[in-house]
Amino acid sequence: MKLRVAVAVALVSILSLSSLIFAAEPVRITIATGAVGDELEKSREAAARYMETHPNVEITVLDTPDMVQDRLGLYLQFFETRSPEIDVYQIDVIWPGDLAEHFVDLYEYGAEEIAALHFSEIIENNTVDGRLVAIPWFTDAGLLYYRADLLEEYGLEPPKTWDELEAAALKIQEGEREKGNEDFWGYVWQGNAYEGLTCNALEWFASNGGGTVIDSDGVISIFNPNALEILEKAASWVGTISPPGVIGFAEEDARNMFQGGNAAFMRNWPYAYALGQSKDSVIAGKFDVSPLPAGASGAGAATLGGWQLAVSKYSPHPEIAADVALFMASYDEQKIRAIEASYNPTIMSLYSDQEVLEAVPFFGSLYDVFINAVARPSTISAPQYNEVSTLFFNAVHNVLTGKDKAANALEELELDLHDLTGLPIK
Ligand code: GLC
């Protein structure tokens, strides 16, 4: 009897000791995020703020490739093995439909209360079969960055049409080269064969009345005269107002050139604003942003971009992972990111926050651009969007590089998209 008691006492103390040890052991959460511009640093700072109030959680912020298709490839490797290594994924606005099966429903982890604070279109985009597979983190829209100082010097206004952009880009380029800057170019953008080109080209087509590749009613409409016209125009920029290397450019290549003072105009996302205005930037105080130029449609178009946080179904700690994701996408955190790094909030009320507007005035003046941004055909083509986009940007890239003629590329693209998706052709 005595022995039994002694064994029981020993067991209890071992158990309580081990529970103490386990309590002291922090829960490890890994977040896969982007590293474009100062994204990684901002995510690490947010993680540090979470850890300050949650000493039992240790967050590792993992950087992932800049280019969307490379990042997707990496994520797919983790999903294929149902890897528990990554708990939270930063996912593109185009991915919820393709990747939904790998994520938990955030409505089951407290997102119900805060969903209504966000733009309803993004919540809808992130809702697959009634499940909220990702919480919106920041939204994006393509913008035209311009050197206000140079426009003034050359007596020009910010261009409202692609024709005006071409003329202004050429004039400034010639003038700056005459002044001795041989490396100066008129217009930089994203022309590499990847998702960024899909975004740029969609803007060209939509602004010229050329549709959105696959329209929202599920009809493939890319082979049309307006699309053809603007694609030929864009191809003519390569080597004239845009550097020949633009066909290999992603966001950061364009930003480096513009921020280095070597381009008059740039197409980029809002994140480039805060970096361009930073202390060490040679263009700080010298540039501004406007909507992208219009073509035949009479209005410019901005592609809707943006990133969300999703919790992996294979995470060993979905509750804590969800808490971290909701914290990072919370009002306070979105406000910090907006002010410090010009990331567009997805929480609507932040667009009337005075501190935010003071730091990033165009969040107010270009509000319409953000709410009217044109979506890529990701919902309509899910779960094949990535293949759709790949066919699209390869076709466009072949025209930019001169490998194919625009008419041929678009006609074949239309057939390829039909073969892939089975959707009807207009
Ligand atoms: C930005 C956008 C994203 C888009 C990507 C393309 O990160 O937010 O939606 O897919 O650029 O490069």
Side-chain angles (χ1 to χ4, degrees):
M1 189 67 180
K2 261 192 187 160
L3 186 69
R4 271 200 209 152
V5 170
V7 169
V9 168
L11 258 179
V12 167
S13 45
I14 287 170
L15 279 177
S16 48
L17 188 68
S18 61
S19 69
L20 259 183
I21 292 169
F22 283 132
E25 183 84 357
V27 172
R28 294 205 159 77
I29 297 291
T30 301
I31 311 181
T33 68
V36 176
D38 56 359
E39 250 186 321
L40 186 63
E41 199 184 311
K42 291 294 146 204
S43 298
R44 293 210 161 123
E45 288 169 11
R49 282 190 286 273
Y50 184 90
M51 288 188 282
E52 256 169 45
T53 50
H54 299 79
N56 59 326
V57 180
E58 200 177 296
I59 305 176
T60 304
V61 179
L62 201 75
D63 62 327
T64 59
D66 280 1
M67 296 225 267
V68 163
Q69 270 74 25
D70 297 342
R71 197 178 297 176
L72 180 64
L74 178 74
Y75 287 7
L76 289 174
Q77 287 175 24
F78 283 104
F79 296 143
E80 211 166 291
T81 56
R82 303 168 81 85
S83 168
E85 274 168 64
I86 294 179
D87 304 278
V88 180
Y89 288 86
Q90 173 178 339
I91 68 159
D92 202 330
V93 69
I94 50 183
W95 291 344
D98 284 13
L99 301 182
E101 61 178 302
H102 304 291
F103 302 129
V104 305
D105 176 4
L106 289 173
Y107 281 140
E108 287 177 12
Y109 294 89
E112 202 83 67
E113 295 155 35
I114 46 140
L117 304 176
H118 295 260
F119 287 117
S120 57
E121 293 79 2
I122 309 180
I123 291 289
E124 206 176 296
N125 178 76
N126 297 1
T127 305
V128 181
D129 298 329
R131 301 165 62 243
L132 184 66
V133 299
I135 189 79
W137 194 17
F138 63 97
T139 185
D140 257 343
L143 300 172
L144 182 70
Y145 286 73
Y146 61 89
R147 286 285 300 275
D149 59 333
L150 295 179
L151 286 184
E152 200 186 314
E153 188 180 325
Y154 290 86
L156 298 162
E157 291 293 318
K160 293 219 169 346
T161 64
W162 293 113
D163 288 342
E164 286 174 19
L165 172 83
E166 280 178 0
L170 199 59
K171 184 166 179 182
I172 301 174
Q173 181 178 298
E174 281 171 355
E176 291 303 291
R177 287 189 185 179
E178 265 164 37
K179 280 199 234 154
N181 185 353
E182 280 302 315
D183 299 327
F184 196 93
W185 287 95
Y187 185 39
V188 291
W189 38 280
Q190 295 78 45
N192 203 340
Y194 80 116
E195 191 63 30
L197 178 56
T198 291
C199 297
N200 281 245
L202 183 70
E203 287 159 352
W204 307 333
F205 294 134
S207 72
N208 207 45
T212 56
V213 191
I214 300 174
D215 292 341
S216 52
D217 52 1
V219 176
I220 301 167
S221 62
I222 188 61
F223 184 41
N224 67 73
N226 288 26
L228 196 65
E229 180 192 54
I230 196 76
L231 180 53
E232 282 172 346
K233 193 184 213 19
S236 78
W237 298 335
V238 181
T240 57
I241 57 169
S242 304
V246 77
I247 52 169
F249 272 22
E251 282 79 2
E252 286 291 84
D253 305 298
R255 183 175 72 81
N256 287 335
M257 200 158 206
F258 186 74
Q259 198 169 314
N262 291 319
F265 298 99
M266 167 174 75
R267 182 271 176 210
N268 217 325
W269 308 102
Y271 84 96
Y273 183 83
L275 293 165
Q277 297 293 23
S278 63
K279 267 192 252 105
D280 57 352
S281 161
V282 299
I283 58 160
K286 296 182 177 171
F287 73 96
D288 212 337
V289 292
S290 75
L292 284 161
S297 80
T303 296
L304 174 72
W307 293 85
Q308 346 292 314
L309 291 170
V311 172
S312 169
K313 252 193 191 166
Y314 321 118
S315 163
H317 309 288
E319 254 158 47
I320 296 174
D323 195 53
V324 172
L326 296 183
F327 167 85
M328 293 189 62
S330 66
Y331 182 98
D332 289 350
E333 288 299 316
Q334 290 206 3
K335 180 166 174 174
I336 294 173
R337 288 170 63 89
I339 291 175
E340 292 182 358
S342 61
Y343 283 105
N344 277 67
T346 57
I347 294 180
M348 290 172 288
S349 57
L350 282 166
Y351 286 83
S352 45
D353 182 292
Q354 280 318 307
E355 284 166 309
V356 169
L357 292 176
E358 215 167 281
V360 198
F362 72 83
F363 280 3
S365 58
L366 298 186
Y367 185 70
D368 282 355
V369 172
F370 301 121
I371 57 166
N372 292 317
V374 180
R376 282 161 276 175
S378 53
T379 303
I380 197 84
S381 63
Q384 290 172 311
Y385 172 71
N386 191 50
E387 282 130 296
V388 165
S389 179
T390 304
L391 285 173
F392 178 60
F393 65 64
N394 280 330
V396 170
H397 198 253
N398 283 342
V399 178
L400 298 180
T401 56
K403 273 198 207 131
D404 204 353
K405 293 263 170 282
N408 191 50
L410 294 185
E411 189 172 14
E412 275 182 16
L413 172 64
E414 195 158 75
L415 297 173
D416 288 346
L417 288 175
H418 173 70
D419 287 347
L420 172 70
T421 62
L423 292 169
I425 294 175
K426 200 170 201 161

